[in-house]
Amino acid sequence: QSTFLYKFVRRKVGSMNLVIPLAGVDKNFEDKGTIKCLVDVSGKPVIQRIAESRPFSFSKAIFILLRKHQNQYAIDTKLRGLFGDKITIVWAEKETDGAPQSILLAEHLINNNEPLLIDLADQYLDLHGFIISLKLAWDNRDAKRYSS
């Protein structure tokens, strides 16, 4: 399933900017000695489970991370271990006012000639039915859409 979805999306979208802001602070997790994206869910970090639910790869993503999390959790090493050395990391030196402000830290890395996907990466998504709908729409894109 995921191989089909990945190939379909890459064939239709081509290259894209993928930005994943992970610079937020959640006291509920940090008080327990971790951060949300690294929480273990059935033997895997939640960020890995989320990445596996996507029809695209995180291997060339731009991650926005909080420097404090690097100092406490060595998050860059963990993300590179999961997604490889081609990921790009942008460091937020202090907490931002949310994902939009975090994303602006990577503005200089975004290629405006390619689509931009911002993945908030704290939601597991079952996209199988959605991608099939996209495929049907793509395959029928020249069909008459409305009749009078």
Side-chain angles (χ1 to χ4, degrees), residues 22 33-35 37-38 45 47 65-83 87 89 91:
L22 296 175
T34 190
I35 51 179
C37 68
L38 298 180
I47 189 70
L65 306 173
L66 190 57
R67 176 77 64 191
K68 162 178 124 168
H69 291 160
Q70 171 62 11
N71 298 336
Q72 293 175 292
Y73 308 107
I75 189 170
D76 70 331
T77 302
K78 292 173 181 165
L79 291 175
R80 289 185 197 288
L82 290 170
F83 306 116
I87 64 170
I89 294 176
W91 296 106

Side-chain angles (χ1 to χ4, degrees), residues 18-24 61-70 75-76 79-80 87-94 96 101-110:
L18 175 59
V19 179
I20 304 169
L22 296 175
I62 301 167
F63 288 88
I64 317 299
L65 306 173
L66 190 57
R67 176 77 64 191
K68 162 178 124 168
H69 291 160
Q70 171 62 11
I75 189 170
D76 70 331
L79 291 175
R80 289 185 197 288
I87 64 170
T88 301
I89 294 176
V90 175
W91 296 106
E93 297 301 330
K94 60 181 184 172
T96 65
Q101 191 178 34
S102 296
I103 293 160
L104 287 174
L105 296 173
E107 180 179 21
H108 65 285
L109 297 170
I110 296 170

Side-chain angles (χ1 to χ4, degrees), residues 5 7 11 17 19 30 39 41 75 85 107 112 117 142:
L5 298 177
K7 286 180 180 177
R11 187 171 64 247
N17 298 282
V19 179
E30 292 196 34
V39 169
V41 176
I75 189 170
D85 289 328
E107 180 179 21
N112 289 323
L117 178 68
D142 295 325

